[in-house]
Amino acid sequence: MLEECFTAGDDRFLDEWVKFHSAEILASFLQRWLADERPWARQQIIAYLKLDLNFSGHELILKRMYRHFESARDHAMLSHFLVAFDRLVRRSRITRHHWNFQTRESFQEEFLFAKPNKTVIEQTGRTAEYGTGKWKRTFPLPDIRNKPSNRLFRHRTRNYLRRRVWRYFRWLSFRSPSDYLASITQALIQFRDEDFSAGENIIDNWSLMHACYFHSDTITFSAAHTNLIKGQSLGSLSAAPYRASLWQQPDAATLLIQIVSDAESALVRVWAMELLQRDHKDAIHQIDIKLLSKLLSHTDARVQEFAAELFRQHRGLGTLTISVWLELLKDSDSSLLSVICEAMTTHVSASRLDNAQLIQLTTAQPVPVAELGFQMLKARHSERPLSSKELVTLCRAQCEVTAGDLTAWALQQLDSETLYSADVVVEFFDALIPPMRSAAMDWLEKPASRGYSDPVLWARLIETPFDDLRLRLVACLHSRAEFPGTEQNTLCPLWCSVILGVHRGGRSKLKAMQQIQTAILQDRQQAAQLLPVLAVAVRSLRAPERRGALAVVASLRLQDAELKDSIQQHLPELEWDA
């Protein structure tokens, strides 16, 4: 299976590779693997180094792999070895109790200890024989298990491997500084947040600490470990890289920005941002805007804040095209839209955007974008007014915060002799956002508006499917004698839908009942259609609604004696005094 996967370039190769523990088999196969020039073979080596190196018998393989790439001066591959070797050593905090015989007091001391955790070959079913002859007995022994936390090599060998790979990069920094920066950048990007699950794990990374904090006053290096200087803490650790002059070169800014963008660990990203702010202030204020937009949408909040500050101070914002601005608004995280909109307000005038782009911004869902678009739209409209077709598209707005003000403004523009049309205005009453429908009703209830006396508009509103509009229409009818161009029989569906709306109560139902009473007294023929609705209200579980319906029914019976039989037919359970 191993041979078949290797020949076919199957990614299951590593799953089979780690099952072998025989050094002879692995060593013979390794020669073919290292000699293979396929990109797939190289990717499999990289994937192998990213695994938890807890495979017994692979010590020889890992050493030979390293020597092969070291002799080939393969800087890129050695960066993967640097990270893999750093992950081999993990210390834990140990507390030791002491007794002072002079003061007769006890005290505790905390220190870091690397527990022995060399990879072992698992053995089960072990037994041991004791005694001789007829007294010979066989006893079971505990199984030997390879714990998940175990790693290849003893600690002395691990420390040697870490020193050796760092020695190579230290040599490279003098031999070829540009290759050193590029290789270390690739190595730093590979460190993960899981590598720093505890605070002490930060200083366990030998090569990382040398590359990033070699000249720090907080730490000191021994032959095997990195330790904090007495009285110092990790909180005071600041960027002090090896060969700091190399990181101060102009070309290093691009590599540091790449680290901020692509690094998998927050520690490395913070280190790179610290160097950028300290040594490359001019370069970061001229960063490519597309790369900056990538940083703005980063998953790390600290990177977002860093990018937001760079964006505010960027020197090329005034020359950005509108398409780039719109792309930033589309792709950036919602928490940073306010920053982009603020910068856009400063550097972009409304005249640079066409009407379609302004409408796109105004109808967007994020609040900062919608507010920016609405502000620019009003400024542009004063210079070149929008047509009725363009104004009606504002009814598709998705932001509830600006929907009310946007509707009021749009209807104010449409409320003119040349632009007004019931077909256009009614779109705002059919909007899906409640604040937009509410603002439209506020405009409609003003006597100065053209819709106040438009019979076509009122006839369409009576058939509205929205409960909030129906309640507003009933309240409006309560203050007016009648709607323009409507008859009493056309209002019956409106009253029925309000009263029969069991999920909503309130004063609107009482007003609708009073309006039904007036309609029946004016035209007794509507009693057959409206009395069943009142009967439902009389039987309501809500006491205020039930009392209001009883009052209306009693008033109808007293004011029109001919309705007594109809009322008794629909409400037979009611008993009336003579």
Side-chain angles (χ1 to χ4, degrees):
M1 187 64 183
L2 181 68
E3 178 71 30
E4 182 180 344
C5 291
F6 183 80
T7 304
D10 194 330
D11 289 341
R12 293 177 296 175
F13 167 75
L14 279 184
D15 297 333
E16 300 300 324
W17 171 261
V18 298
K19 295 178 182 178
F20 286 84
H21 306 290
S22 171
E24 292 79 7
I25 296 177
L26 293 172
S28 62
F29 203 95
L30 179 63
Q31 296 179 1
R32 296 175 53 195
W33 192 0
L34 296 177
D36 197 319
E37 297 181 355
R38 290 178 296 173
W40 173 85
R42 186 179 180 89
Q43 290 298 324
Q44 291 300 303
I45 296 177
I46 295 174
Y48 176 65
L49 294 175
K50 290 182 178 180
L51 298 176
D52 292 334
L53 299 178
N54 185 17
F55 315 115
S56 57
H58 284 233
E59 290 86 353
L60 177 64
I61 300 305
L62 195 60
K63 286 183 178 180
R64 290 189 178 182
M65 273 187 177
Y66 175 76
R67 286 198 297 266
H68 171 81
F69 291 109
E70 185 183 45
S71 60
R73 298 288 189 260
D74 193 332
H75 314 319
M77 186 59 74
L78 289 177
S79 67
H80 294 278
F81 279 92
L82 181 147
V83 179
F85 289 164
D86 265 10
R87 290 171 179 160
L88 289 177
V89 178
R90 286 295 177 266
R91 293 177 290 177
S92 57
R93 299 184 186 184
I94 300 296
T95 301
R96 179 175 295 173
H97 298 269
H98 299 274
W99 176 259
N100 191 324
F101 291 94
Q102 295 179 348
T103 62
R104 312 296 294 176
E105 294 179 349
S106 64
F107 62 94
Q108 296 180 355
E109 180 185 12
E110 187 179 64
F111 62 97
L112 297 177
F113 177 70
K115 298 180 180 179
N117 62 339
K118 185 182 183 302
T119 298
V120 296
I121 299 177
E122 292 192 351
Q123 301 179 29
T124 58
R126 298 193 308 143
T127 58
E129 294 182 352
Y130 296 95
T132 59
K134 63 179 181 179
W135 291 280
K136 187 176 183 179
R137 297 291 185 270
T138 301
F139 297 93
L141 295 177
D143 295 338
I144 297 177
R145 297 291 184 181
N146 190 24
K147 298 180 181 179
S149 59
N150 288 352
R151 293 294 180 268
L152 295 176
F153 308 110
R154 289 186 171 86
H155 279 286
R156 178 174 295 181
T157 306
R158 298 178 197 175
N159 296 332
Y160 164 74
L161 291 173
R162 295 194 303 172
R163 290 195 302 268
R164 180 165 175 172
V165 69
W166 171 245
R167 188 185 307 128
Y168 175 87
F169 282 97
R170 186 178 60 188
W171 165 84
L172 184 62
S173 68
F174 292 95
R175 179 71 177 268
S176 179
S178 60
D179 290 340
Y180 166 78
L181 291 178
S183 302
I184 285 296
T185 296
Q186 293 303 317
L188 294 178
I189 289 175
Q190 298 173 47
F191 284 95
R192 304 185 296 256
D193 285 329
E194 294 80 4
D195 298 329
F196 316 111
S197 56
E200 56 270 17
N201 296 153
I202 296 176
I203 57 177
D204 284 336
N205 297 278
W206 173 271
S207 297
L208 173 69
M209 299 306 295
H210 276 78
C212 299
Y213 303 100
F214 180 77
H215 297 288
S216 175
D217 297 332
T218 305
I219 57 176
T220 183
F221 297 96
S222 65
H225 298 293
T226 307
N227 299 300
L228 289 173
I229 296 177
K230 189 175 182 179
Q232 298 292 340
S233 66
L234 290 174
S236 58
L237 194 64
S238 60
Y242 181 75
R243 299 293 305 275
S245 59
L246 299 181
W247 292 103
Q248 295 171 358
Q249 295 176 358
D251 295 341
T254 303
L255 297 175
L256 290 171
I257 293 173
Q258 181 185 358
I259 294 175
V260 175
S261 175
D262 301 337
E264 299 183 33
S265 66
L267 175 71
V268 176
R269 290 194 294 267
V270 170
W271 173 84
M273 288 187 288
E274 186 177 351
L275 283 184
L276 284 171
Q277 292 173 328
R278 188 176 66 193
D279 301 330
H280 301 279
K281 292 184 179 180
D282 294 337
I284 60 178
H285 291 158
Q286 301 176 12
I287 184 175
D288 181 71
I289 199 66
K290 292 185 178 180
L291 180 57
L292 186 57
S293 65
K294 182 180 178 181
L295 297 180
L296 286 170
S297 57
H298 202 279
T299 56
D300 190 342
R302 284 165 293 198
V303 176
Q304 293 180 4
E305 294 176 3
F306 173 73
E309 186 63 27
L310 295 185
F311 188 82
R312 294 189 185 97
Q313 303 175 6
H314 200 279
R315 298 172 184 173
L317 293 181
T319 60
L320 292 182
T321 61
I322 297 300
S323 60
V324 174
W325 282 107
L326 296 179
E327 185 178 352
L328 286 174
L329 293 175
K330 178 182 178 181
D331 299 336
S332 298
D333 189 82
S334 57
S335 60
L336 299 170
L337 288 177
S338 58
V339 176
I340 300 176
C341 291
E342 179 184 352
M344 194 170 179
T345 303
T346 305
H347 297 280
V348 180
S349 62
S351 59
R352 292 178 58 187
L353 286 83
D354 56 33
N355 291 346
Q357 293 170 335
L358 290 172
I359 293 173
Q360 177 186 350
L361 295 179
T362 307
T363 57
Q365 186 174 12
V367 177
V369 179
E371 290 178 343
L372 172 66
F374 187 27
Q375 178 183 354
M376 289 186 167
L377 185 68
K378 291 189 292 185
R380 179 65 179 269
H381 183 74
S382 61
E383 300 174 0
R384 190 173 68 187
L386 278 69
S387 64
S388 60
K389 292 183 179 180
E390 293 172 330
L391 287 170
V392 75
T393 57
L394 299 178
C395 69
R396 303 170 190 164
Q398 306 175 58
C399 179
E400 296 191 5
V401 175
T402 61
D405 295 336
L406 178 62
T407 302
W409 179 84
L411 291 176
Q412 181 182 0
Q413 309 308 315
L414 291 170
D415 196 3
S416 64
E417 184 177 355
T418 56
L419 297 180
Y420 178 81
S421 171
D423 295 334
V424 175
V425 172
V426 76
E427 296 293 336
F428 291 91
F429 293 89
D430 291 337
L432 299 179
I433 301 180
M436 184 169 286
R437 298 195 297 268
S438 177
M441 283 301 302
D442 292 339
W443 169 82
L444 184 63
E445 293 175 359
K446 296 178 181 179
S449 66
R450 293 181 179 273
Y452 186 82
S453 56
D454 186 354
V456 177
L457 179 59
W458 284 100
R460 295 186 178 182
L461 291 181
I462 292 174
E463 300 177 357
T464 180
F466 299 104
D467 288 339
D468 54 342
L469 283 188
R470 288 196 289 262
L471 297 179
R472 288 286 297 269
L473 288 173
V474 169
C476 186
L477 184 61
H478 196 70
S479 60
R480 301 179 62 172
E482 59 182 8
F483 292 154
T486 59
E487 299 178 357
Q488 293 291 347
N489 57 355
T490 60
L491 296 174
C492 292
L494 175 64
W495 292 324
C496 294
S497 61
V498 172
I499 294 178
L500 298 179
V502 296
H503 64 286
R504 188 188 298 268
R507 299 179 181 178
S508 297
K509 289 189 175 183
L510 301 180
K511 294 178 181 178
M513 294 176 194
Q514 296 173 4
Q515 294 168 13
I516 288 177
Q517 175 185 350
T518 303
I520 293 176
L521 292 176
Q522 293 177 357
D523 185 3
R524 192 181 300 116
Q525 294 181 357
Q526 297 190 55
Q529 183 179 3
L530 296 177
L531 280 178
V533 181
L534 291 176
V536 173
V538 169
R539 300 185 180 101
S540 174
L541 296 177
R542 295 188 178 97
E545 182 177 336
R546 186 169 59 249
R547 288 193 296 267
L550 285 173
V552 170
V553 171
S555 178
L556 288 173
R557 191 174 185 277
L558 291 176
Q559 296 185 48
D560 192 339
E562 297 183 4
L563 295 174
K564 293 181 179 181
D565 295 338
S566 298
I567 294 174
Q568 187 65 32
Q569 179 182 357
H570 290 92
L571 294 166
E573 68 272 20
L574 296 182
E575 297 181 1
W576 304 91
D577 293 338

